[in-house]
Amino acid sequence: GQQVMQIPQYQHVQEGEDFTTYCNSSTTLSNIQWYKQRPGGHPVFLIQLVKSGEVKKQKRLTFQFGEAKKNSSLHITATQTTDVGTYFCAGLGFQKLVFGTGTRLLVSP
Amino acid sequence: DTEVTQTPKHLVMGMTNKKSLKCEQHMGHRAMYWYKQKAKKPPELMFVYSYEKLSINESVPSRFSPECPNSSLLNLHLHALQPEDSALYLCASSQDHPGAASGNTIYFGEGSWLTVV
């Protein structure tokens, strides 16, 4: 079945450092969505990417969808303590949204 | 703030109990979902309802029984659960079914924390 892997599993950065998580799917995706889940919270939608090679920005967050529509990345510039949480990509394959394994981000002040 | 409302927020039940989780959305969405999430793991799809009909069952054990009384409500009936079923149960909804045209964002509720003792 469809598998979506993310690396790294965990990253601990100092506030102000940059952070990147990478998402790879075993199959081509119709689109990819990114979610953030704070500790003890629920997944919150961040953004959706649809087009091959698409790049979208939200303030300090930059999202990219690969040319082959099988991979994606999320880059955070100058992390803040409010960025703490687990970032999930979720790929839309055949009729189902499958979540990636997630990257847990810890930011120290 | 989420527009998908789940009750109860916390539930402790014994292995012989029967209980239900409830979910409600008033966004006019026609697809609703149940996901299960264990600690430090991604959400795993359990069921998808599209236009009030069950469209996907991810081989979930029969001790979990979904029900969609109308387009705004989704229930998950629980019976004879096992301790390993303890998890966060997330309800979600989207404008249309997952395979529809792009732009189909999925919105999650805050979840129901279930503990089976």
Side-chain angles (χ1 to χ4, degrees):
Chain A
Q2 181 186 354
Q3 292 187 336
V4 183
M5 305 297 291
Q6 282 181 253
I7 54 171
Q9 279 189 314
Y10 170 80
Q11 188 151 11
H12 185 178
V13 301
Q14 294 293 315
E15 191 171 24
E17 292 181 338
D18 291 357
F19 160 77
T20 304
T21 172
Y22 299 91
C23 173
N24 290 285
S25 171
S26 58
T27 58
T28 302
L29 302 169
S30 302
N31 67 51
I32 197 148
Q33 302 178 21
W34 283 91
Y35 291 80
K36 176 184 178 180
Q37 186 171 19
R38 292 182 186 274
H42 62 283
V44 175
F45 174 79
L46 293 176
I47 208 160
Q48 178 176 255
L49 304 169
V50 178
K51 298 177 185 174
S52 169
E54 188 171 14
V55 177
K56 286 189 177 180
K57 291 191 176 185
Q58 285 181 351
K59 297 183 181 178
R60 296 179 293 105
L61 278 59
T62 302
F63 303 84
Q64 190 163 9
F65 200 8
E67 293 290 342
K69 300 184 79 172
K70 293 181 73 174
N71 62 287
S72 182
S73 64
L74 158 59
H75 179 81
I76 302 179
T77 304
T79 54
Q80 299 175 358
T81 54
T82 53
D83 295 327
V84 163
T86 300
Y87 292 84
F88 291 103
C89 64
L92 183 62
F94 180 71
Q95 301 285 328
K96 291 191 294 189
L97 190 69
V98 177
F99 278 78
T101 47
T103 296
R104 187 170 153 226
L105 173 64
L106 185 60
V107 181
S108 295
Chain B
D1 286 338
T2 182
E3 295 183 69
V4 178
T5 305
Q6 289 187 243
T7 56
K9 285 190 170 27
H10 298 272
L11 177 63
V12 179
M13 61 184 290
M15 289 188 282
T16 58
N17 291 161
K18 283 186 182 181
K19 296 286 185 183
S20 297
L21 304 180
K22 297 184 182 299
C23 176
E24 188 169 6
Q25 58 88 12
H26 293 290
M27 295 180 280
H29 289 175
R30 304 316 300 261
M32 295 186 77
Y33 313 77
W34 281 114
Y35 281 83
K36 173 183 176 180
Q37 187 176 26
K38 300 282 274 185
K40 299 186 179 180
K41 296 290 186 184
E44 293 179 4
L45 183 64
M46 299 175 73
F47 303 104
V48 180
Y49 272 83
S50 180
Y51 291 84
E52 301 168 47
K53 288 192 167 64
L54 182 65
S55 63
I56 295 178
N57 176 343
E58 289 289 278
S59 302
V60 178
S62 59
R63 58 186 184 268
F64 295 92
S65 174
E67 178 197 18
C68 189
N70 60 54
S71 60
S72 299
L73 295 174
L74 185 66
N75 299 322
L76 186 63
H77 302 299
L78 314 170
H79 174 53
L81 295 193
Q82 302 297 312
E84 58 265 29
D85 295 321
S86 299
L88 176 65
Y89 288 84
L90 294 159
C91 174
S93 71
S94 61
Q95 184 65 40
D96 210 332
H97 69 85
S102 61
N104 205 21
T105 302
I106 294 184
Y107 295 91
F108 283 86
E110 294 184 355
S112 293
W113 292 91
L114 173 67
T115 303
V116 182
V117 296

